[in-house]
Amino acid sequence: MRALLIACDFDGTITRRDTLHVIVEAFGTRGIWAALEPRLRTGEITVEEAMEQEFGEVRASREEVLAAVRERAPIRAGFPELVDWSEARGHRVVVVSNGFRTVIDAVLGDAGLGRLEVASHEASFSPDGCRLSWSDRGERCSLCGRRCKRYEIERRLRGERLVYLGDGISDRCAVGMADVAFARDGLAEHLRERGVPFLPFEDFHEVRRTLESMARDAA
Ligand SMILES: [Mg+2]
Ligand SMILES: [Zn+2]
């Protein structure tokens, strides 16, 4: 089988819950996103600006944040096994996230996966409020008008087949690049409504078995 680039979203995909939601729920100000929503809808502020305001209210140390994430956002079963399987067959796994490096590194490190390549943004947590820094995702994407995950995937693809796994709004544009798409939750609904084929999944054991059987069919 041709080598695979397996691009995987982090929040709500590798983890069972979105760590950003967990962090805001534990340490942020209730209702702030709803209060920002009208200005977001009219385009008065960007999603990034809304997130900066939301996380500015998150008053907690990095240690407190990581403790809450570890307790409330465990990883979905089978992810380490999928990574092992991929590495043994010469496939590459890359985590492509709109979340924060500090959090992702801690969760992956706990799972023995600190070696994984990660493309994400970053957050600096403090009891005085959290500051976000956005990674460089080049020019606005010509398809979605945002600095989206396509940029991170395009610069990593070296002729492999692309497998994409995700669950949310930030995956909608990038999943369109995939040769094989796995989706859950909102992303699954979005693709279903548009008649775009995808494979639903509950855990990564299922994903691995599907990729294994594809490899067998291709042999
Ligand atoms: Mg997600
Ligand atoms: Zn895009």
Side-chain angles (χ1 to χ4, degrees):
M1 182 168 68
R2 212 164 108 204
L4 303 175
L5 178 65
I6 302 171
C8 191
D9 170 55
F10 183 74
D11 285 287
T13 301
I14 294 176
T15 58
R16 298 170 59 90
R17 289 193 63 207
D18 188 312
T19 65
L20 280 68
H21 292 173
V22 164
I23 295 166
V24 168
E25 178 187 274
F27 306 107
T29 302
R30 204 173 272 275
I32 188 164
W33 193 262
L36 292 167
E37 196 107 67
R39 291 166 65 206
L40 249 180
R41 252 201 314 274
T42 61
E44 194 186 322
I45 54 170
T46 63
V47 176
E48 287 79 9
E49 285 164 346
M51 283 178 69
E52 282 165 17
Q53 294 200 29
E54 184 182 42
F55 277 85
E57 303 281 320
V58 168
R59 298 176 201 284
S61 67
R62 178 175 174 275
E63 289 65 36
E64 291 171 313
V65 166
L66 295 183
V69 166
R70 284 178 165 125
E71 189 192 317
R72 303 186 202 178
I75 70 165
R76 198 174 292 285
F79 188 64
E81 291 87 347
L82 172 66
V83 173
D84 288 345
W85 176 87
S86 302
E87 288 174 344
R89 281 154 190 80
H91 305 313
R92 282 193 298 150
V93 178
V94 54
V95 178
V96 185
S97 170
N98 269 11
F100 311 132
R101 186 66 193 246
T102 300
V103 174
I104 296 169
D105 280 351
V107 171
L108 293 180
D110 291 349
L113 297 172
R115 65 186 180 282
L116 274 187
E117 187 176 348
V118 175
S120 73
H121 304 299
E122 184 54 299
S124 163
F125 293 102
S126 150
D128 301 324
C130 169
R131 292 175 67 99
L132 304 184
S133 35
W134 305 101
S135 63
D136 177 14
R137 287 200 172 147
E139 296 302 309
R140 288 182 186 281
C141 168
S142 60
L143 290 169
C144 70
R146 303 202 53 205
R147 290 184 171 82
C148 87
K149 292 181 178 182
R150 270 183 190 261
Y151 174 82
E152 302 287 5
I153 295 170
E154 271 162 8
R155 59 201 291 243
R156 287 173 173 84
L157 263 180
R158 302 180 203 134
E160 300 101 326
R161 295 189 79 203
L162 178 67
V163 176
Y164 192 92
L165 302 97
D167 76 313
I169 292 173
S170 73
D171 304 305
R172 286 183 182 182
C173 192
V175 74
M177 301 170 74
D179 296 296
V180 182
F182 288 90
R184 329 180 12 89
D185 298 331
L187 182 65
E189 253 165 67
H190 175 84
L191 295 176
R192 198 174 289 121
E193 279 166 13
R194 280 156 188 77
V196 178
F198 69 93
L199 300 159
F201 68 102
E202 265 313 309
D203 64 44
F204 292 100
H205 294 301
E206 238 175 275
V207 171
R208 193 191 67 235
R209 283 194 293 268
T210 303
L211 294 178
E212 259 167 355
S213 71
M214 284 178 179
R216 267 197 305 276
D217 293 346

